[in-house]
Amino acid sequence: MDPTGIHTLWVNGALIPWDDAKEHMLAHTLHYGVGAFEGIRLYPQENGTSAIFQLSAHIKRLFESSRICSITIPFSQQDIEQACIDVCLANKLSSGYLRPIVFLGAGTLGLGNKELPIRTAIIPLHMDAYLGKTGLADGIRTTVSGFRRPNLDAFVSKGKICGQYITNVLAKRDAIQNGYDEAIMLDDHGLVAEGTGENIFIVRDNVIFTPPTTSPILPGITRLCIIEIARQSGYTVIEQSFTHDELWIADEIFLVGTAAEVTPVREVDHHVIGTGTIGPITKKIQTEFFDIVYGRKIFNETWSTPLQ
Ligand SMILES: Cc1ncc(COP(=O)(O)O)c(C=O)c1O
């Protein structure tokens, strides 16, 4: 059992006790990082039930990330979606976070070996506000990292792939060590790319900008939801890159992601953003987002999958 009382995992097609999850030290992904993962949230609903937000979109991306790694998941997308539901029900979870992961197990050592067992697991966890409750309400302090997102020919940016998180982890650790909450990463041209685990939006003169998916960013599922929500609320959203100093003169900045939800940014390297707290457009979009994920408002019926 984990310290929060979660006792059951889904591993390779079966629900198993938490302590029975074991893997060999020669697991290929442990050494070389070739594997894919997801992060999905489960929210309690207004009507007393619980629902997984954007389940199909996350599992579709898990399959796409695996394809990028030339890994064929030995289950259907529908099987994995059902497994996500089953593991929540087995743990009687009403809110939390799911971490599906697909990785390569042990075989002979070496980069070229393709005869490796494919492992699929879903780990349920409890998760509160990823960047803190105060951060969610009033904004977080960020720093622009010296670690850049790689050039598009130096990595595979459209997959959520295990080994690609090394510089994100180092950037995040540096930011925390220097007293910030999160790091913002630039691309190799010096344009703003994303947070270490979030996509980024800025507001200038009531227009919302976010880097396009041709940038070296993860095509975030929350990013797409936010673009739709903002447009539906009457805002213009432009997918266009912006520079480091455009962060400093933005009226508002916010980070979005499954873990971070919609988190305002109140500071970038000691430059105060807007009025130094959550901006009005960020507040409106954040409120809409929470109304939707908690089932207080239906925006698109396919976005939430009830547990049943
Ligand atoms: C690097 C990175 N960018 C953006 C995101 C946001 O993606 P999503 O909204 O699909 O969670 C994540 C989180 O998965 C991430 O790890």
Side-chain angles (χ1 to χ4, degrees):
M1 196 182 299
D2 94 327
T4 63
I6 289 175
H7 49 72
T8 301
L9 304 172
W10 184 94
V11 181
N12 303 321
L15 292 167
I16 66 161
W18 182 272
D19 294 324
D20 288 2
K22 302 208 165 40
E23 197 55 53
H24 198 277
M25 289 304 109
L26 206 52
H28 190 85
T29 307
L30 182 63
H31 296 251
Y32 305 119
V34 183
F37 68 101
E38 272 304 320
I40 313 175
R41 270 199 193 255
L42 169 72
Y43 287 98
Q45 302 295 286
E46 185 83 338
N47 63 9
T49 61
S50 295
I52 303 178
F53 189 62
Q54 289 284 17
L55 176 61
S56 298
H58 281 284
I59 300 309
K60 179 168 180 278
R61 190 173 64 187
L62 182 72
F63 275 72
E64 288 170 355
S65 301
S66 301
R67 269 174 68 191
I68 288 173
C69 293
S70 298
I71 296 174
T72 306
I73 301 176
F75 297 95
S76 68
Q77 261 176 247
Q78 208 181 349
D79 291 339
I80 302 297
E81 287 181 27
Q82 187 58 48
C84 287
I85 295 170
D86 292 347
V87 82
C88 291
L89 292 174
N91 286 286
K92 296 190 167 49
L93 270 189
S94 59
S95 88
Y97 184 82
L98 299 176
R99 167 51 53 83
I101 184 162
V102 177
F103 63 99
L104 299 170
T108 53
L109 193 69
L111 298 184
N113 187 0
K114 290 192 88 178
E115 302 303 313
L116 295 161
I118 296 164
R119 310 287 197 213
T120 317
I122 304 167
I123 308 143
L125 297 162
H126 287 293
M127 184 185 278
D128 292 327
Y130 175 65
L131 294 163
K133 276 201 170 63
T134 314
L136 208 52
D138 303 326
I140 57 163
R141 298 181 59 245
T142 64
T143 181
V144 173
S145 177
F147 287 108
R148 302 255 175 136
R149 295 286 288 169
N151 197 348
L152 285 169
D153 57 9
F155 83 136
V156 279
S157 67
K158 300 310 162 227
K160 194 164 167 62
I161 289 164
C162 302
Q164 292 191 161
Y165 274 79
I166 298 165
T167 45
N168 295 41
V169 169
L170 297 178
K172 174 87 182 183
R173 283 188 190 161
D174 272 0
I176 290 170
Q177 202 161 351
N178 291 321
Y180 296 98
D181 303 302
E182 185 54 289
I184 294 170
M185 300 176 81
L186 306 180
D187 68 15
D188 63 324
H189 300 291
L191 295 167
V192 175
E194 61 181 346
T196 64
E198 309 88 12
N199 292 113
I200 190 165
F201 288 74
I202 63 170
V203 180
R204 274 200 84 184
D205 301 327
N206 294 319
V207 177
I208 303 173
F209 296 88
T210 193
T213 53
T214 45
S215 297
I217 62 167
L218 185 76
I221 290 161
T222 319
R223 175 187 176 279
L224 267 190
C225 296
I226 296 304
I227 292 174
E228 277 196 48
I229 292 169
R231 286 185 177 150
Q232 192 79 15
S233 305
Y235 296 109
T236 302
V237 183
I238 304 178
E239 296 182 60
Q240 182 180 298
S241 295
F242 41 86
T243 59
H244 181 171
D245 49 336
E246 280 180 284
L247 292 173
W248 305 340
I249 55 175
D251 302 322
E252 302 179 33
I253 303 178
F254 55 96
L255 299 177
V256 311
T258 299
E261 301 171 304
V262 179
T263 299
V265 172
R266 66 182 167 90
E267 211 178 293
V268 179
D269 287 319
H270 302 292
H271 294 260
V272 174
I273 306 306
T275 56
T277 184
I278 187 167
I281 293 179
T282 309
K283 179 76 189 166
K284 186 158 191 323
I285 289 172
Q286 188 195 62
T287 303
E288 282 283 305
F289 178 79
F290 281 132
D291 281 349
I292 293 164
V293 297
Y294 284 104
R296 294 189 285 264
K297 195 182 252 186
I298 294 176
F299 184 86
N300 178 331
E301 280 187 351
T302 66
W303 282 11
S304 291
T305 303
L307 286 190
Q308 54 196 10

